[in-house]
Amino acid sequence: MNQLSLLIILLAALVIPLAMARFKITFLPTAVVEIIVGVFLGPSVFNWITSSSTLDILQNVGVIFLLFLSGMEIDFSLFKRKNRELTPLEEKGKQHQAKYSVLTVAIIGYASIVVMSILMAYILNLTGLFSDIWLSAILFMTISLGIVIAGLKEKELLSKPFGQTILLIAALGEVVPMVGLTFYASAYSPHSKSLWLILLILVAAALLFWRFKAFFRFFDQINKSTTQVDIRLSFFMIVTLVTVAESVGAEGILGAFLAGIVIKLLEPHEETKVRLDSIGYGFFIPIFFIMSGVNLNLRELVSNPHTLLLIPVIFVGYLLAKALVFAALKMRFKTANAIAGTAMSATTITVVLAVLQVASHLHKITDQQSGAFLLSAVITCVVGPLVFNKLYSAEAEDLKKTTVHFIGTNLTTVPVAQQLAKGWYDVTMYTNNQHNYRAFNSEISITLLDSLDAEFMIDHGVFDADIVVFGQINSEKNYQLAKTAKKYGVRRVIVRFEDRNILDERRDELDQLGVELYNTPDVNISMLRSLIEAPSTMRLMTSTESSVYEVALRNSRYADIQVRNIPFIDKITITQIYRDKRFIRPSGGTPLKLNDRIIFTSSKSEAPEVRRELGKLN
């Protein structure tokens, strides 16, 4: 029977995503569908699956792996505040729109969740429906990071301020409840030890991080397909921290969560994350979700009037606990999106399952109460994404073109600016030379500055751009301004250096800062050499119809897809791929990888759309 039950579960895990794709079921997360299928396969309906020691072990491994991958989902760069957050410019960069930062909105939003969760827990206690205030507060303040990420990916919002805000709130919605659960379990577990011993888990995590940080410096040299050292290290982290956690009286899932955070901080390759996802979501995690549905006995829930009343009350509690997130989101985003973000923040399932499993082990919750909390959480995962997809529309700041500011107007920069302005770029030129201003102002938007002093330029919004190009002849001035622009936070800084002495002295320093350099004589020499060695390429680069382009693959939708299967491959020709510090000449069967730099040829009319699609951070 054990083998038959496992066979049915694995068959269901295989069929569910195929059926969802076949019938285009996109409004429900896969995890929710797996739980619902588990309900049908369990004693609630067909009773085809029965619990056993083998399935219990696999279910426990599933929740451990789920929490490990949840730890890896947290983007710690979201917690960093820039010295000054760049704001999109209105009316050609002359007006600033003051906004609250992503970090500020997220922290205020989640602080409101904590307060409202405790309030909802007290109200639930006063009704007599559920007496454990701290357990219900922890459950109410949880958010499903996995479902939030899936929803944001579908809308391609992970790189947008709105998406980053919701993502950060969701990350806090996993971290804070996990910390609360740890203290709760340590306080009520009959096997618990002193609470200060919990610090040993953090110490162990820090030691593992410090010990293996240098490992990733030579990882590429030693890793092979037959060794998979990165995966072995991940499992070592999981087992070590789970063992330490259970040894000090905490729950093993906290150790797994911290193991995921440690691996994330080690900054492994994206392929490592893909392989770990394959192991987790390919085997262990579907078993956990389906078994959660199997253990949810709807017949007993429906037969108990107390539980029937508890389900809608808890569902409303989940929603009200997140209600004030709307006010926080409204501080920066439009009303409809604030409602959509609040609805998405109300979705919860992952940590709820973990909390309920711990509470069940501690005998702090009955099966009926656990089922009510779980069923209510499932409903939030249905309602939340539906409301989000219905109400969300792009923010004005998300629709803005890439902003490019040129400092210096001359016969090199002005033609480039004119051509870029015809595409998806918002171009502004700046100069302090009145003669150049009068000569070129009729041809493109130019702002005359009184000074090229760094502070003056910052005050006038010259550095508030995605790309800043310093095209003046004065190499020393360009060098100083480039450093200031990078310190200010400009994403890309491109600098002209005509003085080779200054360029040779400062090249290493500017390379470390991420400043991009060009020198007119070098460019001319390269062009002439290309004309001699590769005349067809040269003609292509100067053609009025087609040209050569480069883009870094950021859109995970195209990761691991073969070149021949790219939807718009008929519009482009991929000539080379730069990956892991070497060039690859691709064939139709070559799979693309995240962060590949793709060099392709295309018509000038279609290339901007192709670059935007491949370069989306999703």
Side-chain angles (χ1 to χ4, degrees):
M1 283 300 295
N2 287 350
Q3 289 179 318
L4 181 59
S5 294
L6 179 58
L7 178 61
I8 293 172
I9 291 173
L10 294 179
L11 178 61
L14 174 63
V15 171
I16 287 170
L18 296 176
M20 292 180 68
R22 173 66 179 82
F23 296 105
K24 298 181 180 179
I25 302 174
T26 58
F27 64 93
L28 284 177
T30 304
V32 172
V33 176
E34 288 170 345
I35 293 173
I36 294 173
V37 170
V39 170
F40 278 89
L41 296 178
S44 299
V45 183
F46 298 117
N47 199 23
W48 290 347
I49 298 175
T50 55
S51 296
S52 65
S53 57
T54 302
L55 293 179
D56 288 342
I57 292 173
L58 291 173
Q59 184 178 2
N60 288 333
V61 174
V63 71
I64 285 173
F65 219 97
L66 179 63
L67 268 295
F68 167 73
L69 292 178
S70 296
M72 285 194 68
E73 294 285 5
I74 298 174
D75 185 359
F76 290 93
S77 65
L78 297 176
F79 292 88
K80 298 177 182 178
R81 184 196 293 271
K82 293 182 179 179
N83 293 333
R84 176 177 177 183
E85 184 176 1
L86 298 182
T87 57
L89 302 178
E90 298 177 328
E91 298 298 330
K92 298 181 181 179
K94 296 180 180 178
Q95 299 178 7
H96 291 272
Q97 183 180 4
K99 291 184 177 181
Y100 292 93
S101 70
V102 165
L103 184 61
T104 301
V105 174
I107 290 176
I108 293 174
Y110 194 74
S112 73
I113 291 176
V114 173
V115 173
M116 288 296 292
S117 296
I118 296 174
L119 178 61
M120 291 299 103
Y122 269 104
I123 293 175
L124 195 60
N125 174 264
L126 292 176
T127 62
L129 294 174
F130 191 74
S131 59
D132 195 324
I133 294 174
W134 295 114
L135 179 59
S136 54
I138 292 171
L139 287 163
F140 284 139
M141 67 178 68
T142 60
I143 302 174
S144 181
L145 181 60
I147 291 176
V148 169
I149 287 176
L152 295 177
K153 274 187 177 181
E154 183 179 338
K155 292 285 187 179
E156 299 183 341
L157 295 174
L158 287 181
S159 62
K160 304 293 192 299
F162 179 81
Q164 290 179 343
T165 304
I166 304 300
L167 186 63
L168 183 50
I169 292 174
L172 291 170
E174 288 211 340
V175 174
V176 175
M178 284 299 301
V179 173
L181 178 63
T182 299
F183 284 99
Y184 177 86
S186 299
Y188 291 102
S189 173
H191 308 293
S192 66
K193 299 180 175 120
S194 300
L195 287 175
W196 66 267
L197 288 175
I198 294 175
L199 295 175
L200 292 178
I201 312 174
L202 300 177
V203 172
L207 287 174
L208 288 171
F209 173 70
W210 172 78
R211 178 64 183 85
F212 290 101
K213 188 174 183 180
F215 165 80
F216 282 88
R217 295 176 183 173
F218 62 95
F219 163 72
D220 283 331
Q221 302 174 15
I222 64 173
N223 194 44
K224 301 177 181 177
S225 59
T226 55
T227 57
Q228 300 289 341
V229 181
D230 52 344
I231 306 301
R232 298 186 188 194
L233 175 63
S234 299
F235 277 100
F236 171 76
M237 292 283 188
I238 295 172
V239 175
T240 300
L241 289 176
V242 168
T243 302
V244 172
E246 293 180 346
S247 298
V248 299
E251 288 295 322
I253 55 175
L254 174 65
F257 189 71
L258 288 175
I261 291 176
V262 170
I263 293 294
K264 176 72 173 184
L265 291 174
L266 289 174
E267 300 179 355
H269 286 280
E270 186 66 28
E271 293 180 13
T272 300
K273 177 67 166 55
V274 170
R275 287 195 291 268
L276 289 169
D277 280 346
S278 300
I279 297 171
Y281 289 104
F283 183 69
F284 294 109
I285 295 174
I287 294 176
F288 168 67
F289 282 132
I290 293 173
M291 284 303 299
S292 297
V294 170
N295 295 330
L296 184 62
N297 195 325
L298 288 184
R299 292 182 181 179
E300 292 184 5
L301 292 178
V302 173
S303 64
N304 191 322
H306 178 272
T307 308
L308 278 179
L309 179 61
L310 190 58
I311 292 172
V313 171
I314 292 175
F315 172 69
V316 172
Y318 279 134
L319 298 183
L320 292 179
K322 314 302 190 326
L324 293 183
V325 172
F326 168 78
L329 294 176
K330 189 68 173 63
M331 294 163 57
R332 173 159 181 169
F333 306 107
K334 56 189 181 184
T335 302
N337 286 351
I339 297 173
T342 303
M344 183 59 80
S345 299
T347 59
T348 181
I349 193 70
T350 308
V351 182
V352 165
L353 287 165
V355 173
L356 292 176
Q357 183 165 307
V358 171
S360 179
H361 291 163
L362 298 176
H363 305 291
K364 301 293 293 183
I365 192 170
T366 65
D367 290 341
Q368 287 75 24
Q369 292 170 335
S370 178
F373 273 104
L374 177 55
L375 192 56
S376 301
V378 170
I379 297 173
T380 66
C381 293
V382 176
V383 175
L386 282 174
V387 174
F388 176 77
N389 290 328
K390 182 71 174 177
L391 295 181
Y392 178 80
S393 60
E395 293 281 334
E397 61 185 324
D398 297 340
L399 297 174
K400 75 182 186 76
K401 297 181 178 181
T402 300
T403 307
V404 183
H405 288 180
F406 286 83
I407 292 83
T409 51
N410 49 58
L411 293 176
T412 300
T413 57
V414 170
V416 174
Q418 288 175 321
Q419 293 182 29
L420 290 176
K422 297 175 183 178
W424 195 252
Y425 294 93
D426 182 7
V427 179
T428 304
M429 303 197 75
Y430 296 88
T431 183
N432 66 336
N433 187 311
Q434 292 192 8
H435 174 75
N436 286 356
Y437 175 77
R438 288 193 298 269
F440 297 114
N441 188 44
S442 61
E443 300 181 31
I444 194 167
S445 172
I446 301 177
T447 300
L448 181 62
L449 299 175
D450 295 332
S451 168
L452 291 184
D453 178 72
E455 290 299 324
F456 180 85
M457 296 173 74
I458 289 174
D459 292 339
H460 286 75
V462 178
F463 292 164
D464 289 331
D466 300 303
I467 304 172
V468 174
V469 181
F470 295 97
Q472 306 172 97
I473 193 70
N474 189 331
S475 298
E476 182 62 37
K477 187 66 174 179
N478 287 346
Y479 163 71
Q480 297 295 341
L481 290 176
K483 290 201 304 181
T484 304
K486 266 299 179 183
K487 184 177 180 181
Y488 181 80
V490 180
R491 182 167 57 89
R492 290 188 63 196
V493 176
I494 301 173
V495 185
R496 176 185 181 185
F497 274 98
E498 298 303 331
D499 190 324
R500 291 304 305 241
N501 293 326
I502 295 178
L503 176 59
D504 293 340
E505 291 175 3
R506 311 286 167 76
R507 183 186 295 274
D508 291 341
E509 178 187 1
L510 293 174
D511 283 345
Q512 290 179 357
L513 291 174
V515 174
E516 301 167 60
L517 312 173
Y518 77 94
N519 172 268
T520 304
D522 287 347
V523 171
N524 291 336
I525 291 170
S526 298
M527 293 288 284
L528 179 56
R529 180 177 174 181
S530 296
L531 183 58
I532 295 170
E533 295 183 342
S536 59
T537 302
M538 196 61 198
R539 281 194 291 270
L540 183 62
M541 293 178 66
T542 56
S543 169
T544 58
E545 299 296 328
S546 300
S547 191
V548 180
Y549 300 92
E550 179 181 345
V551 62
L553 180 61
R554 299 279 188 260
N555 195 336
S556 59
R557 178 181 298 176
Y558 300 103
D560 299 312
I561 289 183
Q562 292 180 335
V563 167
R564 66 167 64 94
N565 294 326
I566 299 175
F568 41 81
I569 191 60
D570 57 322
K571 300 178 181 179
I572 66 173
T573 299
I574 298 178
T575 56
Q576 284 189 317
I577 297 174
Y578 187 70
R579 177 187 302 164
D580 297 331
K581 300 180 180 180
R582 65 180 183 272
F583 283 99
I584 299 172
R585 188 174 296 277
S587 64
T590 302
L592 299 179
K593 301 292 182 183
L594 284 179
N595 300 315
D596 279 353
R597 299 202 70 86
I598 301 170
I599 301 170
F600 67 95
T601 59
S602 173
S603 69
K604 292 183 177 180
S605 61
E606 294 174 336
E609 180 60 33
V610 172
R611 294 182 70 188
R612 281 197 298 274
E613 183 66 20
L614 293 174
K616 288 178 183 176
L617 182 60
N618 183 19

